[in-house]
Amino acid sequence: MSFQVMMQQLLGGLSKSMGIFALTLVFALPLGLVVAFGRMSRNRVIRSIAWIFISILRGTPLMLQLLAVYFGPYYLFNIRIGSAWRFTAIIIAFSVNYSAYFAEIYRSGIESMPPGQYEAARILGYTKSGTFFRIIFPQVVKRILPSVTNEVITLVKDTSLAFSLAYAEMFTIAKQIAAKETSFMPFIAAAVFYYVFNAVVAFIMERFEKALNYYT
């Protein structure tokens, strides 16, 4: 196999890795906020459910969660699963897993806000939702962005775990080419692609952090 063909195949796998990355963020970021609200709820039942949700997802391997989501419908409900379910299962598992981490990041940021801001907003006539989304949340985003950046960078690398469901993302393709050609070069090329992908993500997140730095 020529170097050009190998690179084309790896780029095809990279596009699938990027798809996992993007869709995970689209679903995990808002879901994490919902879970964070549950974690801070005054209702003990809701708070306990959110705590158990976070505890299980943070305490078990993502690869195990991928396998559970993919094979669960068959073993639990005897539903036949096909290739179309593979990508859906990957997005569900990744989104749910990362929502647990984002939830704790959100919670720490929200709880770090001074109570006086809530009281001042109430005096000014803001509703609870208005107070949160117009006053509190923008400040929370600024505070939690470094932690979110770390999770986003980890997500770039974790996309390789999709290989456990035989999904042809970049790492799976690199492994297949390496086995076929008996060469280590595909792994080196994949490592470079992951590094560049991570560098671009880190650069974008850094730009966001600077844009939110109100004091410069």
Side-chain angles (χ1 to χ4, degrees):
M1 179 183 294
S2 67
F3 181 77
Q4 182 178 358
V5 173
M6 181 186 71
M7 295 300 286
Q8 289 176 346
Q9 292 187 7
L10 287 175
L11 284 172
L14 177 61
S15 66
K16 293 184 177 180
S17 296
M18 292 175 67
I20 296 172
F21 172 82
L23 288 174
T24 298
L25 290 182
V26 166
F27 294 114
L29 286 170
L31 179 57
L33 187 59
V34 173
V35 177
F37 286 147
R39 185 77 171 83
M40 297 181 294
S41 173
R42 294 180 181 179
N43 186 300
R44 182 178 298 178
V45 175
I46 296 176
R47 191 168 63 247
S48 298
I49 292 173
W51 181 86
I52 292 171
F53 174 87
I54 293 171
S55 179
I56 292 175
L57 290 168
R58 294 175 68 190
T60 57
L62 175 55
M63 186 181 294
L64 177 60
Q65 295 167 25
L66 282 163
L67 295 172
V69 173
Y70 182 64
F71 292 108
Y74 176 76
Y75 287 115
L76 295 176
F77 308 107
N78 200 28
I79 299 175
R80 291 189 176 275
I81 53 178
S83 57
W85 172 242
R86 181 175 288 112
F87 181 71
T88 303
I90 290 170
I91 299 304
I92 291 174
F94 268 88
S95 299
V96 171
N97 176 274
Y98 270 83
S99 71
Y101 289 92
F102 288 139
E104 286 297 272
I105 293 173
Y106 285 134
R107 184 177 67 85
S108 65
I110 294 170
E111 292 183 344
S112 70
M113 298 302 298
Q117 294 203 22
Y118 293 93
E119 297 170 2
R122 186 171 61 253
I123 293 172
L124 292 173
Y126 282 94
T127 62
K128 287 185 178 181
S129 60
T131 299
F132 181 78
F133 288 106
R134 298 185 63 179
I135 298 175
I136 302 300
F137 191 65
Q139 298 179 73
V140 169
V141 170
K142 179 186 174 183
R143 294 189 179 197
I144 68 174
L145 200 54
S147 298
V148 171
T149 298
N150 289 335
E151 290 301 323
V152 171
I153 289 175
T154 300
L155 174 59
V156 172
K157 296 175 285 187
D158 277 353
T159 57
S160 63
L161 293 176
F163 85 93
S164 60
L165 298 186
Y167 184 71
E169 45 70 55
M170 186 167 58
F171 179 74
T172 302
I173 292 176
K175 188 170 62 172
Q176 291 172 348
I177 297 174
K180 181 179 179 181
E181 301 295 324
T182 319
S183 170
F184 194 71
M185 182 57 67
F187 290 124
I188 296 176
V192 172
F193 280 136
Y194 277 119
Y195 178 79
V196 172
F197 188 7
N198 245 327
V200 171
V201 170
F203 174 78
I204 293 173
M205 297 302 290
E206 184 179 348
R207 298 297 295 179
F208 276 130
E209 287 187 42
K210 288 183 178 180
L212 292 174
N213 189 347
Y214 311 133
Y215 302 105
T216 59

